[in-house]
Amino acid sequence: LPGNPPAVTSSLASLRTVTDRLPFLRGKSPATLGLLLLGVLVLGLYFYFSRPAAEVYRVRHGTAIAAVYGTVRIEWTYSIGVRAQNTGYIQLKDIAPGQSSIGLHVRKDQVLATIVDETTARSMSQAKIDLAAAVAKQRVGPPSTTLLDSARTSLQRTIQLNDLNPGAVAPAQLEQSRNDVKRLEDAVKGEQILLDQTVETCRQNLANLQDKMGRSEIKSPIDGVLTAIANADGELVNEGNTVFTIAQGSTYVSGQVNEEDVGRVAEKLKAKIRLYSFPNTDLLGTVSSILPYPDPATQRYTVILSLDAPPPNLMAGMTGEMNIIIGQRENALLVPTQAIVNGHVFVVTSGGTVSPRAVHVGFRSMETSEVLDGVQEGDRVIVADQDLFHPGDHVRPLEINTETKSN
């Protein structure tokens, strides 16, 4: 270099001292020695970075938490099925079929769909015709009215003839005429009752059909959220089928814990909840109740929790994990729970080699575990892909964010 600065001169002197002690390097020029050292450095870096990378966490002291682990699911507080009240083909109103309308907010008495009931429509048309015919017959009157009028006229003439010429009409004939009039009067009364009953029956039948057609509109019974649509547009549905499911907007947390852990859970215990929909957010909740019977399929017990501060976009169906906190200990030696595999951890030594250690675990949560022995503060433990490493492997440790793992 021009002028050979003091630092360069000192470095060259040190380099000459080394070369003087190594016979095969004596007499080599500084440029040759520099290239040689550069090659050694590059080779060393190559071997270092060719080692497999291992995510490690430095063991530290902190607060150990004893917790009962469980899974959680967000559930609707209340839901109701809306049924079809007649049979026909459904026509959705302002609702897209399939899953695209799930989560849609609906209002009470909002029309969700209409059932096209062709059979009832045809029956109603016929009922109107039948009613019109019955009313027309009612206006005409009983069929025997004409006969009654004739019988009355004949009786009147017979009476007048007998009055003008007593004995001209036999008493039996006069009595027969009176009996004919009485019989026809009774017949007219009966026919009139039958006509009136027929009209009333037709009116009631038409009213029933009109009411059924009126019930072809399927309305929301409550203000809520549409959570299920059972039928596609234009599909045939039968009377009584559940077409929609609507839930109220409020939700609660349903947790599941194993049978061996439920005895340690009690009401009012705090819980740390992490939903998969909010992976970087820890939610705090409180145990509200514990169902006294297990799920028949899984034999796990249900724990009901309330969130202290639920996020604004919390929706039913979201799932996640929880830790119900049952105890804690300060100044404990902590490692990430995922670092422990079958009672062992893999420690990366200062030389970069993998060394398995048996550990005794105290308090445990889904994120951190207390280690009572086996490691020391500052040890680097592998936290991921432990199955890829073996004792004595040379690795390139990559320290993860300790703050992230401690929260």
Side-chain angles (χ1 to χ4, degrees), residues 268-318:
K268 298 183 180 181
L269 286 179
K270 289 294 183 180
K272 186 177 179 181
I273 300 168
R274 179 166 293 179
L275 298 175
Y276 300 134
S277 300
F278 307 96
N280 299 319
T281 303
D282 287 332
L283 304 174
L284 295 179
T286 305
V287 176
S288 301
S289 61
I290 307 162
L291 299 190
Y293 49 84
D295 184 297
T298 64
Q299 289 301 307
R300 303 183 77 199
Y301 282 79
T302 299
V303 179
I304 307 301
L305 305 99
S306 59
L307 290 176
D308 296 350
N313 52 346
L314 187 68
M315 292 181 286
M318 291 181 175

Side-chain angles (χ1 to χ4, degrees), residues 214-257:
R215 287 184 280 116
S216 64
E217 289 187 337
I218 302 177
K219 299 180 180 180
S220 173
I222 59 173
D223 292 336
V225 178
L226 190 63
T227 60
I229 303 175
N231 300 96
D233 197 31
E235 187 176 357
L236 177 66
V237 297
N238 295 317
E239 181 178 353
N241 285 4
T242 299
V243 182
F244 302 101
T245 303
I246 299 174
Q248 287 184 332
S250 59
T251 57
Y252 69 93
V253 181
S254 175
Q256 297 284 320
V257 298

